Short mmCIF file of all heavy atoms in Angstrom, two decimals:
data_model
loop_
_atom_site.label_atom_id
_atom_site.label_comp_id
_atom_site.label_asym_id
_atom_site.label_seq_id
_atom_site.Cartn_x
_atom_site.Cartn_y
_atom_site.Cartn_z
N MET A 219 22.10 -2.36 21.12
CA MET A 219 21.57 -3.70 21.03
C MET A 219 20.53 -3.73 19.92
O MET A 219 19.66 -2.88 19.85
CB MET A 219 20.94 -4.09 22.37
CG MET A 219 20.12 -5.33 22.35
SD MET A 219 20.84 -6.93 22.70
CE MET A 219 22.29 -6.69 23.59
N THR A 220 20.62 -4.69 19.06
CA THR A 220 19.69 -4.82 17.96
C THR A 220 18.82 -6.05 18.16
O THR A 220 19.31 -7.12 18.45
CB THR A 220 20.45 -4.95 16.62
OG1 THR A 220 21.28 -3.80 16.47
CG2 THR A 220 19.51 -5.03 15.45
N ILE A 221 17.51 -5.84 18.03
CA ILE A 221 16.57 -6.95 18.11
C ILE A 221 16.65 -7.74 16.81
O ILE A 221 16.73 -7.16 15.73
CB ILE A 221 15.13 -6.42 18.33
CG1 ILE A 221 15.02 -5.69 19.66
CG2 ILE A 221 14.10 -7.53 18.24
CD1 ILE A 221 15.19 -6.55 20.88
N ASP A 222 16.60 -9.05 16.90
CA ASP A 222 16.61 -9.92 15.74
C ASP A 222 15.49 -9.49 14.78
O ASP A 222 14.35 -9.26 15.19
CB ASP A 222 16.40 -11.37 16.18
CG ASP A 222 16.39 -12.33 15.03
OD1 ASP A 222 17.46 -12.56 14.43
OD2 ASP A 222 15.29 -12.84 14.70
N ALA A 223 15.81 -9.38 13.51
CA ALA A 223 14.85 -8.88 12.51
C ALA A 223 13.60 -9.77 12.43
O ALA A 223 12.49 -9.26 12.27
CB ALA A 223 15.52 -8.80 11.14
N GLU A 224 13.75 -11.08 12.56
CA GLU A 224 12.59 -11.98 12.51
C GLU A 224 11.68 -11.76 13.71
O GLU A 224 10.46 -11.80 13.59
CB GLU A 224 13.04 -13.43 12.44
CG GLU A 224 13.65 -13.79 11.10
CD GLU A 224 14.08 -15.24 11.03
OE1 GLU A 224 13.52 -16.08 11.76
OE2 GLU A 224 14.99 -15.53 10.23
N LEU A 225 12.27 -11.52 14.88
CA LEU A 225 11.48 -11.25 16.07
C LEU A 225 10.76 -9.92 15.93
O LEU A 225 9.55 -9.82 16.21
CB LEU A 225 12.36 -11.24 17.33
CG LEU A 225 11.67 -10.88 18.64
CD1 LEU A 225 10.55 -11.86 18.96
CD2 LEU A 225 12.68 -10.83 19.77
N LEU A 226 11.46 -8.90 15.48
CA LEU A 226 10.85 -7.58 15.31
C LEU A 226 9.68 -7.62 14.34
O LEU A 226 8.69 -6.91 14.50
CB LEU A 226 11.90 -6.57 14.86
CG LEU A 226 11.51 -5.11 14.89
CD1 LEU A 226 11.04 -4.68 16.27
CD2 LEU A 226 12.66 -4.24 14.44
N GLU A 227 9.77 -8.50 13.34
CA GLU A 227 8.70 -8.64 12.36
C GLU A 227 7.39 -9.14 12.97
O GLU A 227 6.31 -8.76 12.52
CB GLU A 227 9.13 -9.64 11.27
CG GLU A 227 9.04 -9.10 9.88
CD GLU A 227 9.57 -10.12 8.89
OE1 GLU A 227 8.83 -11.06 8.56
OE2 GLU A 227 10.72 -9.96 8.47
N ILE A 228 7.47 -9.96 14.02
CA ILE A 228 6.25 -10.53 14.60
C ILE A 228 5.76 -9.78 15.83
O ILE A 228 4.64 -9.98 16.26
CB ILE A 228 6.41 -12.03 14.92
CG1 ILE A 228 7.51 -12.26 15.95
CG2 ILE A 228 6.65 -12.81 13.65
CD1 ILE A 228 7.61 -13.68 16.45
N LEU A 229 6.61 -8.91 16.40
CA LEU A 229 6.18 -8.15 17.57
C LEU A 229 5.24 -7.02 17.16
O LEU A 229 5.38 -6.45 16.08
CB LEU A 229 7.39 -7.54 18.29
CG LEU A 229 8.32 -8.52 19.00
CD1 LEU A 229 9.51 -7.76 19.58
CD2 LEU A 229 7.59 -9.27 20.09
N ALA A 230 4.29 -6.72 18.04
CA ALA A 230 3.36 -5.62 17.77
C ALA A 230 3.03 -4.94 19.09
O ALA A 230 3.10 -5.54 20.16
CB ALA A 230 2.08 -6.13 17.12
N CYS A 231 2.68 -3.67 19.00
CA CYS A 231 2.26 -2.91 20.16
C CYS A 231 0.99 -3.54 20.73
O CYS A 231 0.10 -3.96 19.98
CB CYS A 231 1.98 -1.47 19.74
SG CYS A 231 1.43 -0.40 21.08
N PRO A 232 0.87 -3.61 22.06
CA PRO A 232 -0.34 -4.17 22.64
C PRO A 232 -1.52 -3.20 22.60
O PRO A 232 -2.55 -3.45 23.23
CB PRO A 232 0.07 -4.50 24.08
CG PRO A 232 1.21 -3.62 24.38
CD PRO A 232 1.90 -3.38 23.07
N SER A 233 -1.42 -2.12 21.82
CA SER A 233 -2.55 -1.19 21.67
C SER A 233 -3.66 -1.88 20.87
O SER A 233 -3.47 -2.95 20.30
CB SER A 233 -2.11 0.08 20.95
OG SER A 233 -1.79 -0.20 19.61
N ASP A 234 -4.80 -1.24 20.82
CA ASP A 234 -5.96 -1.82 20.14
C ASP A 234 -5.70 -2.12 18.66
O ASP A 234 -6.29 -3.03 18.09
CB ASP A 234 -7.18 -0.91 20.27
CG ASP A 234 -7.69 -0.86 21.70
OD1 ASP A 234 -7.44 -1.82 22.45
OD2 ASP A 234 -8.32 0.13 22.06
N ASP A 235 -4.84 -1.33 18.00
CA ASP A 235 -4.62 -1.56 16.57
C ASP A 235 -3.44 -2.49 16.29
O ASP A 235 -3.21 -2.85 15.15
CB ASP A 235 -4.44 -0.24 15.83
CG ASP A 235 -3.30 0.60 16.37
OD1 ASP A 235 -2.55 0.13 17.24
OD2 ASP A 235 -3.15 1.74 15.91
N HIS A 236 -2.72 -2.90 17.32
CA HIS A 236 -1.60 -3.84 17.18
C HIS A 236 -0.62 -3.43 16.09
O HIS A 236 -0.25 -4.22 15.24
CB HIS A 236 -2.10 -5.26 16.93
CG HIS A 236 -3.07 -5.74 17.96
ND1 HIS A 236 -2.70 -5.97 19.26
CD2 HIS A 236 -4.39 -6.00 17.89
CE1 HIS A 236 -3.77 -6.37 19.95
NE2 HIS A 236 -4.80 -6.39 19.15
N ALA A 237 -0.22 -2.19 16.11
CA ALA A 237 0.68 -1.65 15.09
C ALA A 237 2.08 -2.23 15.24
O ALA A 237 2.50 -2.63 16.32
CB ALA A 237 0.72 -0.13 15.20
N PRO A 238 2.84 -2.25 14.14
CA PRO A 238 4.22 -2.71 14.20
C PRO A 238 5.07 -1.81 15.09
O PRO A 238 4.73 -0.66 15.35
CB PRO A 238 4.69 -2.61 12.75
CG PRO A 238 3.46 -2.51 11.92
CD PRO A 238 2.42 -1.88 12.80
N LEU A 239 6.20 -2.35 15.53
CA LEU A 239 7.15 -1.62 16.36
C LEU A 239 8.42 -1.37 15.57
O LEU A 239 8.77 -2.12 14.67
CB LEU A 239 7.47 -2.43 17.62
CG LEU A 239 6.28 -2.72 18.53
CD1 LEU A 239 6.64 -3.82 19.52
CD2 LEU A 239 5.84 -1.48 19.26
N ARG A 240 9.11 -0.30 15.94
CA ARG A 240 10.43 -0.03 15.35
C ARG A 240 11.41 0.17 16.50
O ARG A 240 11.05 0.64 17.58
CB ARG A 240 10.39 1.17 14.42
CG ARG A 240 10.14 2.49 15.11
CD ARG A 240 10.22 3.68 14.15
NE ARG A 240 9.97 4.91 14.85
CZ ARG A 240 8.80 5.53 14.87
NH1 ARG A 240 7.77 5.05 14.21
NH2 ARG A 240 8.66 6.65 15.55
N GLU A 241 12.65 -0.15 16.25
CA GLU A 241 13.68 -0.01 17.27
C GLU A 241 14.31 1.37 17.19
O GLU A 241 14.59 1.87 16.10
CB GLU A 241 14.75 -1.09 17.07
CG GLU A 241 15.71 -1.21 18.21
CD GLU A 241 16.63 -2.41 18.08
OE1 GLU A 241 16.59 -3.08 17.04
OE2 GLU A 241 17.39 -2.65 19.01
N GLU A 242 14.51 1.99 18.36
CA GLU A 242 15.15 3.31 18.44
C GLU A 242 16.03 3.34 19.68
O GLU A 242 15.92 2.50 20.56
CB GLU A 242 14.11 4.42 18.57
CG GLU A 242 13.27 4.66 17.36
CD GLU A 242 12.34 5.86 17.51
OE1 GLU A 242 12.48 6.62 18.49
OE2 GLU A 242 11.47 6.03 16.65
N THR A 243 16.85 4.37 19.74
CA THR A 243 17.62 4.66 20.95
C THR A 243 17.17 6.03 21.43
O THR A 243 17.20 7.01 20.68
CB THR A 243 19.13 4.67 20.67
OG1 THR A 243 19.51 3.38 20.18
CG2 THR A 243 19.92 4.97 21.94
N ARG A 244 16.71 6.08 22.68
CA ARG A 244 16.25 7.34 23.28
C ARG A 244 16.94 7.53 24.61
O ARG A 244 16.91 6.63 25.45
CB ARG A 244 14.73 7.32 23.49
CG ARG A 244 13.95 7.33 22.19
CD ARG A 244 12.48 7.47 22.45
NE ARG A 244 11.75 7.57 21.19
CZ ARG A 244 10.45 7.65 21.12
NH1 ARG A 244 9.71 7.64 22.21
NH2 ARG A 244 9.86 7.73 19.95
N ALA A 245 17.54 8.67 24.79
CA ALA A 245 18.26 8.99 26.03
C ALA A 245 19.26 7.89 26.38
O ALA A 245 19.40 7.51 27.53
CB ALA A 245 17.27 9.22 27.17
N GLY A 246 19.91 7.35 25.35
CA GLY A 246 20.94 6.35 25.56
C GLY A 246 20.42 4.94 25.83
O GLY A 246 21.21 4.04 26.09
N ALA A 247 19.11 4.74 25.76
CA ALA A 247 18.53 3.43 26.03
C ALA A 247 17.82 2.92 24.77
O ALA A 247 17.18 3.68 24.06
CB ALA A 247 17.54 3.50 27.19
N ASP A 248 17.94 1.62 24.54
CA ASP A 248 17.23 1.01 23.41
C ASP A 248 15.77 0.80 23.78
O ASP A 248 15.46 0.34 24.89
CB ASP A 248 17.86 -0.33 23.05
CG ASP A 248 19.27 -0.17 22.50
OD1 ASP A 248 19.50 0.82 21.78
OD2 ASP A 248 20.11 -1.02 22.78
N VAL A 249 14.89 1.13 22.86
CA VAL A 249 13.45 0.97 23.07
C VAL A 249 12.80 0.50 21.78
O VAL A 249 13.36 0.64 20.69
CB VAL A 249 12.77 2.29 23.53
CG1 VAL A 249 13.27 2.74 24.88
CG2 VAL A 249 12.94 3.39 22.50
N LEU A 250 11.60 -0.05 21.91
CA LEU A 250 10.74 -0.32 20.76
C LEU A 250 9.63 0.70 20.79
O LEU A 250 9.04 0.95 21.85
CB LEU A 250 10.16 -1.74 20.82
CG LEU A 250 11.16 -2.86 20.66
CD1 LEU A 250 10.46 -4.22 20.78
CD2 LEU A 250 11.90 -2.77 19.33
N VAL A 251 9.34 1.32 19.65
CA VAL A 251 8.35 2.39 19.57
C VAL A 251 7.23 1.95 18.63
O VAL A 251 7.49 1.48 17.52
CB VAL A 251 9.00 3.69 19.06
CG1 VAL A 251 7.97 4.80 18.95
CG2 VAL A 251 10.14 4.12 19.98
N CYS A 252 6.00 2.14 19.08
CA CYS A 252 4.84 1.83 18.26
C CYS A 252 4.77 2.81 17.10
O CYS A 252 4.89 4.02 17.29
CB CYS A 252 3.57 1.91 19.10
SG CYS A 252 2.06 1.65 18.13
N THR A 253 4.56 2.29 15.90
CA THR A 253 4.49 3.15 14.72
C THR A 253 3.17 3.89 14.63
O THR A 253 3.02 4.78 13.80
CB THR A 253 4.69 2.32 13.44
OG1 THR A 253 3.72 1.27 13.40
CG2 THR A 253 6.10 1.72 13.39
N SER A 254 2.21 3.58 15.51
CA SER A 254 0.92 4.25 15.50
C SER A 254 0.79 5.22 16.67
O SER A 254 0.67 6.42 16.48
CB SER A 254 -0.20 3.22 15.52
OG SER A 254 -1.46 3.85 15.54
N CYS A 255 0.81 4.71 17.90
CA CYS A 255 0.56 5.56 19.07
C CYS A 255 1.83 6.18 19.65
O CYS A 255 1.76 7.01 20.54
CB CYS A 255 -0.21 4.80 20.14
SG CYS A 255 0.70 3.43 20.92
N LEU A 256 3.01 5.76 19.16
CA LEU A 256 4.32 6.27 19.57
C LEU A 256 4.67 5.95 21.02
O LEU A 256 5.60 6.54 21.58
CB LEU A 256 4.45 7.77 19.30
CG LEU A 256 4.24 8.18 17.84
CD1 LEU A 256 4.38 9.68 17.69
CD2 LEU A 256 5.21 7.46 16.92
N THR A 257 3.96 5.02 21.64
CA THR A 257 4.34 4.54 22.97
C THR A 257 5.65 3.79 22.83
O THR A 257 5.86 3.07 21.85
CB THR A 257 3.24 3.61 23.53
OG1 THR A 257 2.06 4.39 23.72
CG2 THR A 257 3.65 3.00 24.86
N SER A 258 6.56 3.97 23.79
CA SER A 258 7.84 3.27 23.73
C SER A 258 7.94 2.24 24.85
O SER A 258 7.46 2.45 25.96
CB SER A 258 9.00 4.25 23.79
OG SER A 258 9.01 4.96 25.00
N TYR A 259 8.56 1.12 24.50
CA TYR A 259 8.72 -0.01 25.41
C TYR A 259 10.21 -0.30 25.57
O TYR A 259 10.94 -0.35 24.58
CB TYR A 259 8.02 -1.25 24.84
CG TYR A 259 6.54 -1.04 24.66
CD1 TYR A 259 6.03 -0.54 23.46
CD2 TYR A 259 5.65 -1.29 25.69
CE1 TYR A 259 4.67 -0.31 23.29
CE2 TYR A 259 4.29 -1.06 25.53
CZ TYR A 259 3.81 -0.58 24.33
OH TYR A 259 2.47 -0.35 24.18
N PRO A 260 10.67 -0.49 26.80
CA PRO A 260 12.10 -0.69 27.01
C PRO A 260 12.57 -2.05 26.50
O PRO A 260 11.79 -2.99 26.39
CB PRO A 260 12.24 -0.61 28.53
CG PRO A 260 10.91 -1.02 29.06
CD PRO A 260 9.91 -0.54 28.05
N ILE A 261 13.86 -2.10 26.19
CA ILE A 261 14.53 -3.35 25.88
C ILE A 261 15.56 -3.54 26.99
O ILE A 261 16.44 -2.70 27.17
CB ILE A 261 15.23 -3.31 24.51
CG1 ILE A 261 14.22 -3.03 23.41
CG2 ILE A 261 16.00 -4.60 24.25
CD1 ILE A 261 14.84 -2.79 22.04
N ARG A 262 15.40 -4.60 27.77
CA ARG A 262 16.30 -4.85 28.91
C ARG A 262 17.06 -6.15 28.68
O ARG A 262 16.46 -7.20 28.49
CB ARG A 262 15.50 -4.93 30.21
CG ARG A 262 14.85 -3.61 30.56
CD ARG A 262 14.27 -3.62 31.95
NE ARG A 262 13.56 -2.37 32.18
CZ ARG A 262 12.29 -2.28 32.54
NH1 ARG A 262 11.58 -3.37 32.76
NH2 ARG A 262 11.73 -1.10 32.72
N ASP A 263 18.37 -6.04 28.68
CA ASP A 263 19.23 -7.20 28.45
C ASP A 263 18.86 -7.92 27.16
O ASP A 263 18.85 -9.14 27.09
CB ASP A 263 19.18 -8.18 29.63
CG ASP A 263 19.67 -7.55 30.92
OD1 ASP A 263 20.66 -6.78 30.86
OD2 ASP A 263 19.09 -7.82 31.99
N GLY A 264 18.49 -7.13 26.13
CA GLY A 264 18.16 -7.69 24.83
C GLY A 264 16.75 -8.24 24.72
O GLY A 264 16.38 -8.79 23.69
N ILE A 265 15.94 -8.08 25.77
CA ILE A 265 14.58 -8.62 25.79
C ILE A 265 13.58 -7.47 25.78
O ILE A 265 13.59 -6.63 26.68
CB ILE A 265 14.35 -9.51 27.02
CG1 ILE A 265 15.35 -10.66 27.02
CG2 ILE A 265 12.91 -10.02 27.08
CD1 ILE A 265 15.39 -11.45 28.30
N PRO A 266 12.68 -7.41 24.77
CA PRO A 266 11.65 -6.37 24.75
C PRO A 266 10.66 -6.57 25.89
O PRO A 266 10.20 -7.67 26.13
CB PRO A 266 10.95 -6.57 23.41
CG PRO A 266 11.80 -7.51 22.63
CD PRO A 266 12.62 -8.26 23.60
N VAL A 267 10.35 -5.50 26.60
CA VAL A 267 9.39 -5.54 27.71
C VAL A 267 8.13 -4.82 27.24
O VAL A 267 8.05 -3.61 27.28
CB VAL A 267 9.98 -4.89 28.98
CG1 VAL A 267 8.98 -4.97 30.13
CG2 VAL A 267 11.29 -5.55 29.36
N LEU A 268 7.13 -5.60 26.80
CA LEU A 268 5.91 -5.01 26.23
C LEU A 268 4.80 -4.96 27.28
O LEU A 268 3.67 -5.41 27.06
CB LEU A 268 5.46 -5.82 25.00
CG LEU A 268 6.48 -5.86 23.86
CD1 LEU A 268 5.97 -6.72 22.72
CD2 LEU A 268 6.80 -4.46 23.37
N LEU A 269 5.13 -4.39 28.41
CA LEU A 269 4.17 -4.23 29.51
C LEU A 269 3.83 -2.76 29.65
O LEU A 269 4.71 -1.90 29.67
CB LEU A 269 4.77 -4.73 30.83
CG LEU A 269 5.20 -6.20 30.86
CD1 LEU A 269 5.95 -6.50 32.14
CD2 LEU A 269 3.98 -7.09 30.72
N LEU A 270 2.53 -2.47 29.76
CA LEU A 270 2.11 -1.08 29.87
C LEU A 270 2.66 -0.40 31.11
O LEU A 270 2.91 0.80 31.09
CB LEU A 270 0.58 -0.99 29.84
CG LEU A 270 -0.04 -1.36 28.50
CD1 LEU A 270 -1.56 -1.35 28.61
CD2 LEU A 270 0.42 -0.43 27.41
N ASP A 271 2.86 -1.15 32.20
CA ASP A 271 3.41 -0.57 33.42
C ASP A 271 4.83 -0.05 33.21
O ASP A 271 5.28 0.84 33.92
CB ASP A 271 3.39 -1.58 34.56
CG ASP A 271 1.99 -1.86 35.07
OD1 ASP A 271 1.07 -1.07 34.78
OD2 ASP A 271 1.82 -2.89 35.75
N ASP A 272 5.55 -0.62 32.27
CA ASP A 272 6.93 -0.21 32.00
C ASP A 272 7.05 0.70 30.78
O ASP A 272 8.13 1.16 30.46
CB ASP A 272 7.80 -1.45 31.79
CG ASP A 272 7.97 -2.27 33.05
OD1 ASP A 272 7.80 -1.70 34.15
OD2 ASP A 272 8.26 -3.48 32.95
N ALA A 273 5.96 0.95 30.09
CA ALA A 273 5.97 1.74 28.85
C ALA A 273 5.96 3.23 29.14
O ALA A 273 5.51 3.68 30.18
CB ALA A 273 4.75 1.38 28.00
N THR A 274 6.46 3.99 28.18
CA THR A 274 6.36 5.43 28.19
C THR A 274 5.31 5.80 27.15
O THR A 274 5.52 5.58 25.95
CB THR A 274 7.71 6.09 27.84
OG1 THR A 274 8.69 5.64 28.78
CG2 THR A 274 7.60 7.60 27.87
N PRO A 275 4.16 6.33 27.58
CA PRO A 275 3.09 6.63 26.63
C PRO A 275 3.52 7.63 25.57
O PRO A 275 4.33 8.51 25.81
CB PRO A 275 1.98 7.25 27.52
CG PRO A 275 2.29 6.79 28.89
CD PRO A 275 3.78 6.67 28.96
N GLY A 276 2.96 7.47 24.39
CA GLY A 276 3.17 8.41 23.31
C GLY A 276 2.40 9.69 23.58
O GLY A 276 1.77 9.84 24.63
N PRO A 277 2.39 10.63 22.63
CA PRO A 277 1.73 11.93 22.85
C PRO A 277 0.23 11.82 23.13
O PRO A 277 -0.32 12.68 23.78
CB PRO A 277 1.99 12.70 21.55
CG PRO A 277 2.60 11.74 20.60
CD PRO A 277 3.03 10.52 21.34
N ASN A 278 -0.40 10.77 22.65
CA ASN A 278 -1.83 10.58 22.90
C ASN A 278 -2.10 9.51 23.94
O ASN A 278 -3.23 9.04 24.07
CB ASN A 278 -2.55 10.22 21.60
CG ASN A 278 -2.45 11.32 20.58
OD1 ASN A 278 -2.51 12.50 20.93
ND2 ASN A 278 -2.29 10.97 19.33
N GLY A 279 -1.09 9.10 24.67
CA GLY A 279 -1.25 8.06 25.69
C GLY A 279 -1.24 6.68 25.08
O GLY A 279 -1.04 6.50 23.88
N ASN A 280 -1.44 5.67 25.92
CA ASN A 280 -1.52 4.30 25.45
C ASN A 280 -2.93 4.07 24.94
O ASN A 280 -3.89 4.39 25.60
CB ASN A 280 -1.25 3.32 26.60
CG ASN A 280 0.17 3.43 27.10
OD1 ASN A 280 1.07 3.75 26.37
ND2 ASN A 280 0.35 3.14 28.38
N ARG A 281 -3.05 3.49 23.77
CA ARG A 281 -4.37 3.26 23.19
C ARG A 281 -4.84 1.83 23.47
O ARG A 281 -5.14 1.08 22.56
CB ARG A 281 -4.34 3.56 21.71
CG ARG A 281 -4.08 5.02 21.47
CD ARG A 281 -4.23 5.49 20.08
NE ARG A 281 -4.20 4.47 19.05
CZ ARG A 281 -3.86 4.71 17.81
NH1 ARG A 281 -3.50 5.92 17.45
NH2 ARG A 281 -3.88 3.77 16.91
N VAL A 282 -4.89 1.47 24.71
CA VAL A 282 -5.34 0.15 25.11
C VAL A 282 -6.53 0.33 26.02
O VAL A 282 -6.50 1.10 26.97
CB VAL A 282 -4.21 -0.63 25.83
CG1 VAL A 282 -4.73 -1.97 26.30
CG2 VAL A 282 -3.02 -0.80 24.91
N HIS A 283 -7.62 -0.33 25.73
CA HIS A 283 -8.81 -0.21 26.55
C HIS A 283 -8.65 -0.99 27.84
O HIS A 283 -8.15 -2.10 27.82
CB HIS A 283 -10.04 -0.73 25.80
CG HIS A 283 -10.39 0.11 24.63
ND1 HIS A 283 -11.07 -0.38 23.56
CD2 HIS A 283 -10.16 1.42 24.34
CE1 HIS A 283 -11.24 0.56 22.65
NE2 HIS A 283 -10.69 1.66 23.12
N ALA A 284 -9.07 -0.40 28.93
CA ALA A 284 -9.05 -1.09 30.22
C ALA A 284 -10.18 -2.11 30.24
O ALA A 284 -11.23 -1.89 29.65
CB ALA A 284 -9.23 -0.10 31.35
N PRO A 285 -9.96 -3.25 30.92
CA PRO A 285 -11.02 -4.28 30.98
C PRO A 285 -12.23 -3.81 31.73
O PRO A 285 -12.23 -2.92 32.50
CB PRO A 285 -10.35 -5.45 31.66
CG PRO A 285 -9.05 -4.96 32.19
CD PRO A 285 -8.78 -3.62 31.59
#
């Protein structure tokens, strides 16, 4: 599944630096991966799920400050 290029252009990781995302396939599943913190977010039925509860943290964890 490919995310529309215009949508991918405006999406950003919800981390503090709001880095761009790139589309990848990992373990047979489509995901969006932060270009900075490497956290991955699932794509379900063609819809990106940018929720930290559903994310797989990158090697340094999610870089989002808790309230």
Side-chain angles (χ1 to χ4, degrees):
M219 168 91 21
T220 303
I221 297 294
D222 180 71
E224 289 181 26
L225 176 60
L226 191 56
E227 234 177 79
I228 61 172
L229 291 176
C231 180
S233 69
D234 291 335
D235 58 7
H236 305 292
L239 299 165
R240 67 175 179 262
E241 191 172 6
E242 291 185 10
T243 300
R244 291 187 176 177
D248 293 324
V249 296
L250 292 179
V251 179
C252 176
T253 56
S254 178
C255 66
L256 302 179
T257 295
S258 62
Y259 299 90
I261 300 172
R262 295 190 185 124
D263 298 321
I265 301 169
V267 181
L268 299 178
L269 301 172
L270 292 176
D271 289 343
D272 292 337
T274 302
N278 297 322
N280 295 329
R281 295 189 341 204
V282 177
H283 293 155

